[in-house]
Each structure stands twice: as structure tokens, then as C-alpha cells.
Amino acid sequence: MKKKLLITGGIILGVIAVLVILLFTLFAVRTVKVDYRTSTTQNMPTTEQIIEAGEFSYGTPIMFIKKNNFKNKIEEKYPYVEVINIETVFPNKLIVHVKEREEIYAINENGKAYFVDNTLKVLRIEEGEFISTQNNAIAISGIEIKNAQVGDFLSDENYVDVYNAFVANNRLLYEQKEIIKSIEFSTFKDPNTQESNSCLTICTYDNTLYYIYNSNKFLSKKITKFLAVFTDFYNLVGKDVTKDASSSYFGQVWTLDMLKSAYVIINNNYIIEDMEDFIFANVLPKQ
């Protein structure tokens, strides 16, 4: 009986020894590759630089590594790099999938311009005031800086991802830049609920203001409405300003001069009966 136990114990120890050897040989990290999933590489480091920044644990069993550590080190050293994910390829290979963060917005604060992507990560800081054009970043305001440094993520409860709402409407960054001069993130007191809710104000390059209320709700659908109004805006010339007989503008039609000073309110109805019609846009004359 004792002999059988010794044999069994020896077999178990042997199996464990084989597994340990396999973990630190066959299944140990040997190779790291970088996969660039991006259309631009202007601010991207080389493959060698990314791998060096990650400080990968070569020789460590691939099942036991903590990928977030590598991701954080890469993104900390290279702010423009976004590590999408780190793929495990058995038995001993890692593939780092990366893309370039784009300078989508710029924020002026205390004589400096902070360039950020749509996650509000600070990519670079420049001295002097930023002026938005149709070929550079979109100016935004209402975002608190708090002495941010390159690589920091800004946080603001009023911020919503306008960039991806436009992308959902098939408007890429270059098209957004052609339309939007600036965006302000703020709050407003909702007269229906008496609560403070988010609001964003888009100023287009013809200096028309679009107030998008409750911007944290149905944003992509509200951007759809924004684009519809923006595209058809000057076709309103000669059409009725309002069909509301109680309005002082009843019986008047839009003129070009009136439209040049008009503004637009976009919001959602509070009682949703028809999903096709629960977002509305009102073009209003200057008060």
C-alpha cells in the first residue's frame, strides 16, 4: 500500500513538473507584435518603441500576465496611442492592436490651448489662444481643465460624445470640422421637470446657434435632426415663420436677413407616442 502511494505521489509530482516546465517554456511569452488599426500614423511611435514602452514580461506564462499593465504603460508614454486590446495567441504570442487618437477638440484655458480626443484625453498643450478653422480642431468650452497635463483624461458631467453621434450619422471628422465652429457644454433648467439637465450649443460657420437640450438623451437622433435642419436651413426663405396664430410672427415669412440671426432649438418630446416624431427642431427668429 505504501509503495502504491509513493508511486502515485511520484506520478503526480512528475505531472506537476511537466506542467511547470511547459508553462515556462512552451506557454511563456516569447513574441510581441503590433497591429496598427488606424488610417493615420502621423503621431504614432514605431513598433519597437511601443513594445519597449509596454515592458512586456517575456518568459512569464501567458495565462498569468496582466495585460492592463502593458496597456497603461504604452498609453502613458505615448498619449496619441490607443491600445484597442492585447490579443493572446497561444502558445506564446501577444498582438497589441493600436490606433491613433485624433485631435478632435481644442479648449482654451488660461492662455493655453488643450488638444483632446473624443474621450477628453489631453494629447498636447500649446501656449496661446486656439482659433478654430475648418481645417483644424473644433473649439469647445464648458469643460473644466483643473491643471491637466498631457496624458490626463478630463472629466465633466456635462460632456457628451458629439463626435460619435455624428459618426453614427455617417459624418466623419473632416465633415464635422467643415460644419462646426464651436461647441459649448452646459446645463439648463428644464421647464417641464424643473430639473437641471445637460445642454450643448453648436455654433456653425454661418454663426447659427443650435441649442440641443437634454443632450444626454437620444443624442444621435438629435444630431440627425440637426443635420436635416442645417442642410435645409436657407430653403426656409419665403416659408411661414410659424403656424401658431397666437404668435407675433404669425403671417410672416422667413427672409434671408431674419434667418441670418435665427437660432434653432432641438429637444425630445416628453410624451412619446410616435417614435418617428419624438425629436423636434424649432427654427426661431432672434428675440
Side-chain angles (χ1 to χ4, degrees):
M1 186 68 177
K2 187 176 181 180
K3 186 176 182 181
K4 286 183 179 181
L5 288 174
L6 289 173
I7 293 172
T8 302
I11 292 172
I12 292 172
L13 289 174
V15 170
I16 293 172
V18 170
L19 290 175
V20 170
I21 292 170
L22 286 174
L23 283 174
F24 286 92
T25 54
L26 181 61
F27 294 105
V29 176
R30 298 297 178 200
T31 307
V32 179
K33 300 289 186 183
V34 177
D35 171 36
Y36 290 86
R37 295 189 176 182
T38 184
S39 58
T40 58
T41 56
Q42 180 180 352
N43 297 298
M44 294 292 277
T46 64
T47 294
E48 292 75 16
Q49 288 173 321
I50 289 175
I51 293 174
E52 182 180 353
E55 299 180 9
F56 291 92
S57 305
Y58 292 100
T60 301
I62 205 164
M63 293 82 80
F64 299 153
I65 59 173
K66 296 181 179 179
K67 296 179 182 178
N68 275 341
N69 291 343
F70 309 140
K71 175 182 184 293
N72 293 339
K73 288 177 181 178
I74 293 169
E75 292 187 345
E76 182 178 348
K77 185 163 186 179
Y78 298 109
Y80 283 90
V81 175
E82 179 180 352
V83 178
I84 302 168
N85 73 307
I86 300 177
E87 179 186 358
T88 300
V89 180
F90 285 99
N92 53 23
K93 182 178 180 180
L94 297 175
I95 302 178
V96 186
H97 300 284
V98 299
K99 68 176 183 178
E100 181 178 6
R101 294 181 185 270
E102 296 184 87
E103 293 179 3
I104 296 176
Y105 303 123
I107 307 167
N108 286 314
E109 180 80 9
N110 296 326
K112 295 180 180 180
Y114 294 76
F115 294 85
V116 302
D117 70 353
N118 64 303
T119 68
L120 295 185
K121 182 174 184 177
V122 180
L123 304 179
R124 66 185 175 99
I125 304 172
E126 280 193 355
E127 295 289 339
E129 182 181 2
F130 170 80
I131 299 175
S132 182
T133 73
Q134 290 173 302
N135 297 312
N136 60 11
I138 298 168
I140 63 173
S141 59
I143 304 297
E144 195 169 2
I145 298 296
K146 292 183 179 178
N147 300 315
Q149 303 298 318
V150 171
D152 290 348
F153 284 90
L154 306 180
S155 178
D156 194 287
E157 62 181 7
N158 297 324
Y159 175 75
V160 289
D161 193 348
V162 181
Y163 166 78
N164 271 322
F166 272 92
V167 171
N169 282 275
N170 299 312
R171 296 300 179 104
L172 301 180
L173 180 57
Y174 77 92
E175 295 172 291
Q176 297 179 37
K177 289 179 178 180
E178 289 175 353
I179 296 171
I180 305 169
K181 184 178 182 181
S182 65
I183 303 174
E184 179 183 5
F185 298 94
S186 61
T187 59
F188 78 107
K189 188 173 183 179
D190 194 317
N192 293 284
T193 64
Q194 297 301 310
E195 295 178 352
S196 179
N197 288 325
S198 60
C199 171
L200 67 89
T201 306
I202 296 177
C203 179
T204 55
Y205 273 97
D206 63 357
N207 291 318
T208 302
L209 295 177
Y210 293 75
Y211 298 92
I212 301 180
Y213 293 124
N214 294 297
S215 53
N216 60 331
K217 298 177 181 177
F218 318 117
L219 183 57
S220 64
K221 290 184 179 294
K222 289 175 180 175
I223 295 301
T224 302
K225 186 66 72 173
F226 163 86
L227 291 168
V229 175
F230 174 79
T231 301
D232 202 45
F233 193 70
Y234 289 102
N235 291 330
L236 292 174
V237 172
K239 295 182 180 179
D240 290 337
V241 173
T242 180
K243 296 187 181 299
D244 180 2
S246 64
S247 170
S248 60
Y249 290 98
F250 183 72
Q252 296 187 46
V253 297
W254 286 106
T255 65
L256 183 59
D257 285 340
M258 288 174 67
L259 281 173
K260 285 181 178 178
S261 61
Y263 63 98
V264 182
I265 289 177
I266 299 173
N267 204 349
N268 52 279
N269 290 320
Y270 290 85
I271 300 175
I272 301 172
E273 296 179 355
D274 184 352
M275 291 301 289
E276 296 286 329
D277 194 38
F278 76 105
I279 304 294
F280 66 86
N282 292 331
V283 183
L284 302 171
K286 182 180 180 180
Q287 299 297 316

